[in-house]
Amino acid sequence: MNPAMDFDTLRRAMADNYGQPEGPARNARAEQLLVEAEKLGIPLAVIEALGHQLKVYNYSSEKGKMFVPFARLLRMWDERPEDFDEYEIHSLHWVFKWMSAGMLDQPHVPLASIEKWLGEMEHRYRLAGHSERAVRSAEFSVAAHLGDLARAERAYGAWLAADRDTMADCHACELHGQGWWQSVRGSDGEALELWAPVLEGAYSCAHEPHTVLASSLLPLLRLGRVEEARAHHLRGFRLVRAMESMRGAYADHVEFCAVTGNEARALELLAERPAYFTDSGDPRSKLEFMAVVALLMDRLTALGLGEQTVPGPVGRVWTAAELAVHARGEALALAGRFDARNGTSYVSERARARMDRPALVDRLPLGVRSVRSARAGQQAPIVAPAPPQAAQGAAARGVGAAAGLDELLAEARGLAARRSPDAVEAWAAVSSAAEGHELDVHDRAAIADHAAMGRGPQGIGLFLEAAELYGEAGDPGEALAARSRAAYVRALTGGTEEALATGAELREQVLALFAEGGTGVAQTASVLVGRARTLMHRVEEAESAQESAPPGDPGPRDDVLEVAEAAARELLALVEPHGADDVAVASRGAEAHAMLGELAARAGDGAAAVVSLTLAVDGFVAAGLPWFAVEYDSRLAGIALHLGDPELAERSVRAALEHGGSHLEPAGQAQLQLRLAEILAAQGQVGPAAEHALEAAHWADEAGEAATLGAWARHQLGGFLLRQGRWAEAAEILESALPDLTGEMHGDGAIVQTRWWLGDCLTELGEHRGAAEHWLRAADIARTWPEQRDHAMLAHLAAEALGHAGLTVEADRAYARAGDLWRELGNVDGLVRSLRARAWAAARTDEDLDGARALMEAALRECASAVEGLAEAAGPPGTAPGAGADDEAEAEDARRRMVAELGHTHRQFGDLVARSVPDEAEEASARVAFEESLGHLDRAIAVFTSLGDDVLDARTGAELAAGRVEADLGRPEAAAARARAVLDACPRLDGDIAEARRAEAERLRGLLERPAKA
């Protein structure tokens, strides 16, 4: 049988339990600790244990349990107030507010009891001498819940007018409530102004800015501030994710996703918290959650995904349509219970309004991976991209509708004449609608011709069928063009030589036909372009063969490029005189320029390539065919980057996005957006780069490439957000990218960099253990790399994080690992810093300073040895063999840095010894330690002095530390002299450092002079 706890052990156990994650396990432990407290026979122990129980119940899904321990506490206070100490008296009155809110959240508590409680709270606060501010705040909450707007406004005004005292909620919580009310009343802008100090970090507490971030989401969307809304979602959800008590705020984030086109993300959030569907200890937050679930499920059902499987209450499989009905029923039943208690319909009205809320933004990319939702067993995006306009028109008319055949034919012919990419869909619609109808043979040829496009090898037969039909229709030029298209497809499938032979034959035939007036420029150009494309393909094959050829192989002959160029120029010569009159002809001229640009790039003539590709782009745009320019805009961007012209590269990518418009496939959108992001980032435009990386991630997900291109886009986006100091957003994005990053697809470097960035983010967010884990895992990858600097740096960073997390032993191991690596790399700075860090850790854990001293002494030896080595290597100025002025300056900089490191090591050695003196130390032993400390500090001052004013901030810091030690040794004159020396140096220091040093020196001097004045 375990012995009973003593009071101190009980208090430590309660403190430890309060630091555990919210939830039933923490609550159960609090109940056990109350039993232990009762065994002690100490009233204050029971009071503290009851207070602990109240706290953990309040911040959990079991808020309904608060009333029993509070009633017991209140009875103990009324019977024996002397058993309460000052802290527990304050706590007892503080939790009156929790009881008021808790009663509102429980519909079984009668309204009369709540009103009676408000009076009791007001009476007890008045007796204790507290302001009525907290009472009026509680009254406001009751009135707002009831929908009694007039009373709520009166209480709101009285709340703000009353004096703040120790019973008032913290500034952050009060501002949240005030902003919430303004938002409810329709003043979103005013709400955000009230919340600004919390959002900006001026005020915070254990649950803020968590709830303010959640509450701000819809107001920001309604005001059109979507970028801020996205940032608040990423930042805020990270805060509430692990907090069981924040179901209401969690619901706000689900709702945000549901009304911004992020239904897939919303489903993921639901899957993370299955208990939220059934936890009944806090009925009001369950009402909020189920209302949002109903909203989301109705959205999915409206999108045609009602049969999709979704997360729901455990025990069965739910479809979206089924859960929509269940959630709405649950929400309305709960709302009905509140309204029955309140005697109003207000809660039900608000619940219905929330469940029926329309989408506020059609599409708001979040950057995190969006898992595509399944429908009928197929992978598909929740919201499919809209089809091209022509296809929409055909669908609207109804395929197979004979009455619309003439209209379909007219549209298809017009689109084909304009070379629209929608022509393929239009001719397919004609084919379907023409079943049972006799078509003109030329139209049948066009159907076969367009059906062949995009089918690869399967299209060859259709092209040849089209050629036969064109011939039957009396259009020999178009027949030759169709045969030319078939030959090009054959080249792409491995038959280049056969295709070239066919192309040469077709060229002769079409040119002869053209000379006789038997065909037009457009048909002749179609044959020539087919041959030119085949020759361009042969160029690509020749280059591929050269890349895989053994060393010394001459590779492709120059005539491969020359023949292709000649074919392109022949095409250009044919079409240039006629391009203004015919879209098809103009497009062939633009393509000829594009070929010439590509050949110039392959020949290494970047400037000529830019000229020709620019002509190609301009030609396609002038012809009204901007979508054909996209490929060449993109090529231009790549060449511009190679030529060191980022402005041209940026213009070209932006043009590609504009020219592609709605015809761009999602994968193309993603690639272009990502390239633009990288170009902008290289120019230092990190904010715009992040916007385009966000778009890239979204389009990659739409393209079904979330794990490939999408992961890379998220990797880049996280880095851009990090560079802007948006730590929480960056962490969410990087964590979303990490599972998809693989060495095979993205490279180990990307994985290491992502974990490195995550460590940086988590450090800024105070999540040191998580940061250490990422840095250590990155270090394990980097340990296999030939160059070990990254391995060393990651091990060092992990050690620092482990130290901040209080894992001293683990930190020491990581520092030792980093130190060994720094030593192997010859990086004395890193080695010395790792030794100093280990010394500090040893001082905290060892009973004596032997281990810490040994490590500091090792650091001093490394510094001294490095300084000596650098001095010997440099020799007298100008004497190093082959050394120029730059080399000498670099060597001197290295020596000065190492000398400074020596000074810092002496400074830290002195601090370490001084801080290790316990308060209860005997005077003699304390004096010995302080003298040792002073010796190191004086050596640090001497070292810093030798380096001049470049390190004046370090020197004055050491001087002040020495002054404090002098004071501890009972030498006020010496300490005051050091303070004066620092004050004399302050004019030579920079602003903030000067102010800090001046204030510290004045404080030290004031402490020393005070006894003399007495």
Side-chain angles (χ1 to χ4, degrees), residues 242-253:
M243 300 181 74
E244 187 201 41
S245 65
M246 303 204 75
R247 180 163 54 182
Y250 201 98
D252 290 341
H253 286 281

Side-chain angles (χ1 to χ4, degrees), residues 920-970:
E920 66 277 8
E922 296 180 0
E923 183 178 351
S925 62
R927 178 169 291 277
V928 169
F930 286 137
E931 290 289 3
E932 180 187 358
S933 169
L934 191 59
H936 284 293
L937 292 170
D938 279 336
R939 284 191 283 276
I941 293 165
V943 170
F944 291 140
T945 301
S946 73
L947 296 173
D949 281 1
D950 287 348
V951 292
L952 188 58
D953 57 337
R955 195 197 91 194
T956 52
E959 195 83 65
L960 285 168
R964 289 190 292 271
V965 175
E966 296 273 26
D968 288 333
L969 287 167

Side-chain angles (χ1 to χ4, degrees), residues 782-1010:
R783 71 163 66 240
T784 64
W785 293 356
E787 210 291 315
Q788 287 287 284
R789 188 181 185 282
D790 285 341
H791 182 195
M793 180 61 74
L794 286 162
H796 200 112
L797 288 170
E800 290 180 355
L802 289 166
H804 287 304
L807 302 171
T808 307
V809 174
E810 293 84 348
D812 183 71
R813 282 201 298 266
Y815 275 125
R817 172 181 174 184
D820 290 342
L821 290 166
W822 290 131
R823 190 186 301 279
E824 291 173 13
L825 289 166
N827 187 317
V828 182
D829 302 67
L831 172 59
V832 166
R833 289 171 187 177
S834 66
L835 288 167
R836 290 200 305 243
R838 292 183 66 196
W840 280 104
R844 286 192 295 271
T845 56
D846 293 351
E847 293 184 2
D848 54 46
L849 283 182
D850 290 347
R853 279 195 178 90
L855 289 162
M856 278 293 187
E857 287 164 358
L860 287 173
R861 287 194 300 273
E862 295 291 347
C863 286
S865 176
V867 169
E868 184 179 350
L870 288 167
E872 290 177 357
T879 62
D886 290 343
D887 293 331
E888 288 189 6
E890 186 176 337
E892 176 59 14
D893 284 344
R895 187 194 69 82
R896 289 175 64 83
R897 283 197 305 274
M898 191 48 59
V899 170
E901 210 61 68
L902 176 64
H904 289 304
T905 305
H906 275 301
R907 162 70 197 271
Q908 290 198 31
F909 204 160
D911 287 345
L912 182 146
V913 173
R915 293 179 190 179
S916 67
V917 178
D919 293 339
E920 66 277 8
E922 296 180 0
E923 183 178 351
S925 62
R927 178 169 291 277
V928 169
F930 286 137
E931 290 289 3
E932 180 187 358
S933 169
L934 191 59
H936 284 293
L937 292 170
D938 279 336
R939 284 191 283 276
I941 293 165
V943 170
F944 291 140
T945 301
S946 73
L947 296 173
D949 281 1
D950 287 348
V951 292
L952 188 58
D953 57 337
R955 195 197 91 194
T956 52
E959 195 83 65
L960 285 168
R964 289 190 292 271
V965 175
E966 296 273 26
D968 288 333
L969 287 167
R971 302 169 185 167
E973 296 83 1
R978 291 183 186 272
R980 286 193 298 273
V982 171
L983 290 170
D984 291 344
C986 281
R988 307 201 304 280
L989 288 167
D990 292 332
D992 290 343
I993 295 174
E995 287 303 314
R997 292 285 186 266
R998 183 177 291 109
E1000 194 173 352
E1002 292 285 8
R1003 187 161 52 248
L1004 176 61
R1005 194 168 66 170
L1007 289 172
L1008 294 167
E1009 291 175 351
R1010 192 173 302 147

Side-chain angles (χ1 to χ4, degrees), residues 175 188-197 225:
L175 288 173
D188 289 332
E190 197 168 333
L192 288 162
E193 286 181 18
L194 283 164
W195 288 331
R225 293 159 62 176

Side-chain angles (χ1 to χ4, degrees), residues 190-501:
E190 197 168 333
L192 288 162
E193 286 181 18
L194 283 164
W195 288 331
V198 182
L199 295 170
E200 293 164 4
Y203 302 119
S204 64
C205 67
H207 288 75
E208 294 295 353
H210 313 44
T211 56
V212 164
L213 285 164
S215 296
S216 72
L217 295 172
L218 294 193
L220 286 168
L221 291 176
R222 287 192 290 260
L223 292 171
R225 293 159 62 176
V226 295
E227 301 295 331
E228 291 174 74
R230 174 176 48 238
H232 286 199
H233 168 63
L234 294 175
R235 179 181 162 202
F237 181 69
R238 186 174 190 84
L239 293 173
V240 304
R241 171 182 268 146
M243 300 181 74
E244 187 201 41
S245 65
M246 303 204 75
R247 180 163 54 182
Y250 201 98
D252 290 341
H253 286 281
V254 176
E255 179 181 34
F256 166 81
C257 294
V259 299
T260 58
N262 288 287
E263 294 86 359
R265 165 80 166 173
L267 290 176
E268 292 173 5
L269 304 197
L270 293 187
E272 287 191 29
R273 279 292 185 180
Y276 278 172
F277 288 98
T278 53
D279 283 345
S280 58
D282 183 10
R284 184 146 67 157
S285 72
K286 184 177 181 182
L287 163 58
E288 294 167 355
F289 183 77
M290 297 308 289
V292 165
V293 172
L295 166 68
L296 173 61
M297 296 306 139
D298 283 345
R299 287 274 301 157
L300 291 173
T301 303
L303 292 168
L305 295 165
E307 298 307 308
Q308 176 175 310
T309 301
V310 294
V314 296
R316 57 163 290 186
V317 175
W318 294 89
T319 66
E322 291 167 340
L323 187 56
V325 174
H326 172 78
R328 183 173 287 268
E330 284 272 299
L332 290 176
L334 283 166
R337 290 175 59 197
F338 280 108
D339 283 342
R341 189 266 307 273
N342 299 340
T344 69
S345 60
Y346 184 69
V347 175
S348 294
E349 290 167 5
R350 286 181 59 81
R352 286 192 176 90
R354 190 170 199 180
M355 289 187 285
D356 298 336
R357 191 185 307 282
L360 298 178
V361 179
D362 289 336
R363 180 183 74 88
L364 179 60
L366 301 178
V368 292
R369 182 176 182 180
S370 176
V371 177
R372 299 175 130 211
S373 292
R375 184 181 181 187
Q378 300 295 320
Q379 288 298 312
I382 280 191
V383 182
Q389 187 173 358
Q392 286 179 328
R397 285 185 296 274
V399 172
L405 182 56
D406 289 342
E407 183 184 350
L408 289 173
L409 275 167
E411 183 174 20
R413 290 166 184 160
L415 290 170
R418 297 193 298 275
R419 292 202 67 202
S420 169
D422 295 336
V424 172
E425 296 257 8
W427 279 109
V430 169
S431 178
S432 296
E435 292 180 11
H437 295 265
E438 187 65 32
L439 285 179
D440 177 87
V441 66
H442 202 283
D443 290 331
R444 298 206 315 271
I447 288 173
D449 202 3
H450 286 85
M453 296 175 185
R455 293 198 180 186
Q458 290 75 33
I460 293 174
L462 285 168
F463 278 130
L464 295 176
E465 179 186 336
E468 293 291 336
L469 290 169
Y470 282 130
E472 184 181 336
D475 191 346
E478 202 61 61
L480 292 173
R483 289 178 61 197
S484 179
R485 287 189 278 276
Y488 176 57
V489 174
R490 186 170 286 112
L492 296 179
T493 56
T496 304
E497 294 307 317
E498 180 187 354
L500 285 173

